[in-house]
Amino acid sequence: MVSPVSVMASSSSVLCEDQLQCSICLDVFTDPVSTPCGHNFCMICLKEFWDSSSHCQCPVCKEEFPKRPELRVNTFISGLAAPFKKQVPLKPKKVLCDSCTEEKLEALKSCLHCGVSYCNIHLMLHKTTPKLMKHKLMEPVENLEDYICQKHERPLELFCRDDQMCVCQFCTEGDHKTHNTVPIEVEVRSKKTESWFMQAEVQKMIQDRLWKIEEIKKSIELNKKITEKADGVEIFSALMRCIERSQAELLQVMEEKQKAAEKQAEELIKELEQEITALKRRNTELKQLSHTEDHLHLLQIYPSLRIPPHTQDWTDFSINRHLTVVSLIRIMIQEMLSTEVGKIDEIKLKGLQQYKVDVTLDPDTANPFLILSDDRKRGTCGDDQQNLPDNPERFDLCPCVLGKEGFSSGRFYYEVQVRGKTEWYLGVVRENAKRKGEITSCPEDGYWCVCLKNETEFSACDSPVIHITMKPAPQKVGVFVDYEEGLVSFYDIEAMFHIYSFTGQTFIEKIYPFFSPCSNHGSKNSPPLIICPVN
């Protein structure tokens, strides 16, 4: 029979410190307690979290408790954490006494004036001799020359805030005479105080990412349950009686979207975990900084520690809405619209065309590779970059351009010829949408577009992307917008066909017509996008 002690020893050898870490303070558990939902925290951390919040909920999964749970220390987890709490960090390399002649003892202090490190015995003179008692003593270091001014051979005892460097007393009488200098100890106290705030911010960033991982996992689990429960009849029977042949296709779409969502979630969680690792490393560096007595080293590395690790802003990010009932219904409706259901008649088309507007291209927004006609009605992508000012309105990386006229109310309609092109994007964009760097064309980022890729692949840039069967690809596209209704619709004018509609959108700022003729691809995609008169 295996004893409990040996089990404990075995388990602690397998466990790592991260697995026994409180997600609030990010340290090994102290008096660990468990919430009813199964998550663990330090008792004091959880109490302080609940005391500072109006809701009694789990800091990780956000489950709310109607009554504040009574907390008791989890003795099993406490036992697992104990060995890690006892671990002592590795001590820095020993500095030996320079005055010992036989067996050298470990140095207790280094003297900046003498340039020598002393053990406790040889340090006595510095404690008893009045002249030596004025010398500057510090924690023992090997590289004492780094703490001496190379110009005046005096101890670096002051910090110049103007030049952000350590200086000696003589420096303040020369090059740094008019500068703001303070004793190193004063600057170190200031930096340590600031580093504590930085630690708190880094810990919050880590916690936010842990919560985001939990949120993504929950979202995927919910999507999975919807996929497992959906049978093509239970959810859509009322809507789909007239198109029963599409039910099998719907289930296939659901499964494909679930797989896409799971893949996306894996990538996001991996990215979040990489950020957490970088932030934990920074947190450890800041923690070590707050305890170091090596003042010069602290002041030297502090500027680099102030620069936060490269991370994304995950505040408003959420997993794509792949499997909500509303989005699935929208997918099926779009599949319906890809058949005869999408046909429109002349009366419908004339009703849209009555809202025609005169759209011209805005050269101030055009990517430097785009060539616009003199009448601002056609645009194509050239092979050479033009020398244009990089103003805030201009697309700097993607070959895009906006209409000159923006709209903040009412309805409007325009038509664009796309004949002969193998790739293009059309639609509308909100005024403050991103224009620099890589752009994601989706409603969440302020873009409502349809596009053609690889000559035959036609899609609506929704969330998720909707692939549409169009044979042949449209030659002229009509774009209709109803600002108040939050509607953006696209039509194949020659085929008299409704392509796609973004519905239920919320416009709160001006929106502009959006055009991208896309790259030339060696003249394969050279025909221009042309804004046509509406007949």
Side-chain angles (χ1 to χ4, degrees), residues 343-353 493 496 535:
K343 284 286 186 181
I344 59 172
D345 56 26
E346 234 179 283
I347 297 174
K348 169 72 172 176
L349 182 57
K350 288 186 180 297
L352 297 171
Q353 290 176 333
I493 301 305
M496 303 283 283
N535 298 319

Side-chain angles (χ1 to χ4, degrees), residues 88-96 106 139-142 292-294:
V88 179
L90 290 174
K91 290 184 178 180
K93 186 179 178 182
K94 288 182 179 180
V95 177
L96 301 179
E106 186 178 350
E139 295 302 306
V141 291
E142 282 189 319
T292 183
E293 294 300 327
D294 190 342

Side-chain angles (χ1 to χ4, degrees), residues 216-226 228 258:
I216 291 172
K217 287 179 178 178
K218 280 189 140 186
S219 177
I220 287 299
E221 191 60 34
L222 179 61
N223 285 353
K224 195 171 183 180
K225 287 178 181 177
I226 293 174
E228 290 170 352
Q258 173 63 22

